[in-house]
Amino acid sequence: FSYTPSIGDSVLVGGIVIQVNGLTEYFADTILKKTNGTWQKKPDAVTQLSESTESDIITINNVWLTDTSEWKNQGEGFNVHITNGKDTFVMYINSNTDLLNMRLPFEKFNLTGVEIQNKSKAPYFGNYEIEPRGTFDIERVVQLYKISQVRIQDAVTGVADSAGSSNDFYLKGIVQSPDFNTSGLNFSIKDSTG
């Protein structure tokens, strides 16, 4: 085909319906691009993967990796397990996306992608996965903290417990000093807690 798919394109596709590992696919012999940049479906927010959302664009909110060592950044793609604290899901990272070179997310994130299925034997129910389309489908959830929450110090060392954390966070406060550093930013903020 001379056509390269782009999100938002309106197309007319001719071909036959096939099934690959439980996933219903369309084996195209003709693709005609009608227009580009048209309406895009808003993803459905889900808490479970199921047959009813297979091949649909979905979002699972507030998830994190269950095992960061699964993030391999190599090969033809890889699976990682994510959880929302209640259920565990499989996220497939396709090597044909920019996700293969992405730094693994340490913090919570909202995940959007296409629900796929990978089940080799009938009955073809279960083994659902979510396949994000690119880095734009991973939205970090950055926590807002009170200053008193990040100032808690270790009783022995006196070092703030949050020092050196790889997780990003936001603080909201009132600036209490000028910038004390000429090559960067070094100033004091305060909120009602600390």
Side-chain angles (χ1 to χ4, degrees):
F1 295 105
S2 61
Y3 171 71
T4 302
S6 183
I7 294 173
D9 283 356
S10 175
V11 295
L12 180 63
V13 181
I16 60 171
V17 175
I18 62 173
Q19 190 174 50
V20 178
N21 290 334
L23 182 64
T24 302
E25 296 184 359
Y26 203 66
F27 187 78
D29 58 26
T30 306
I31 301 176
L32 301 173
K33 180 178 174 183
K34 306 300 273 177
T35 59
N36 59 350
T38 60
W39 169 86
Q40 294 180 38
K41 180 186 179 296
K42 182 180 178 188
D44 294 319
V46 301
T47 56
Q48 295 284 321
L49 303 182
S50 69
E51 194 70 22
S52 66
T53 50
E54 178 185 307
S55 297
D56 207 351
I57 186 84
I58 59 171
T59 296
I60 307 171
N61 290 314
N62 294 310
V63 296
W64 61 92
L65 297 173
T66 62
D67 181 359
T68 57
S69 69
E70 291 180 327
W71 194 274
K72 297 294 183 189
N73 294 77
Q74 60 190 9
E76 296 297 315
F78 56 92
N79 288 334
V80 294
H81 291 84
I82 58 174
T83 185
N84 59 7
K86 179 181 176 190
D87 297 301
T88 299
F89 311 93
V90 176
M91 175 172 64
Y92 176 68
I93 304 299
N94 189 311
S95 64
N96 293 317
T97 67
D98 60 351
L99 290 160
L100 194 68
N101 298 315
M102 183 182 128
R103 174 187 72 86
L104 74 106
F106 286 102
E107 62 279 318
K108 286 184 179 181
F109 54 95
N110 297 328
L111 177 64
T112 297
V114 177
E115 183 183 314
I116 61 174
Q117 188 176 25
N118 189 12
K119 191 159 192 313
S120 59
K121 295 179 183 175
Y124 293 108
F125 300 106
N127 288 38
Y128 302 105
E129 302 176 3
I130 183 169
E131 182 176 5
R133 302 162 294 170
T135 54
F136 58 89
D137 275 338
I138 295 181
E139 175 193 24
R140 290 184 2 195
V141 176
V142 181
Q143 301 292 331
L144 175 63
Y145 288 97
K146 297 182 183 316
I147 291 174
S148 63
Q149 292 175 295
V150 298
R151 289 190 62 194
I152 299 170
Q153 296 174 324
D154 183 280
V156 176
T157 66
V159 174
D161 291 343
S162 56
S165 172
S166 62
N167 296 324
D168 292 337
F169 58 88
Y170 285 113
L171 294 174
K172 182 172 126 180
I174 305 297
V175 175
Q176 299 291 303
S177 72
D179 182 8
F180 293 121
N181 192 332
T182 57
S183 62
L185 290 175
N186 180 357
F187 60 93
S188 175
I189 65 172
K190 182 132 178 105
D191 67 11
S192 62
T193 70

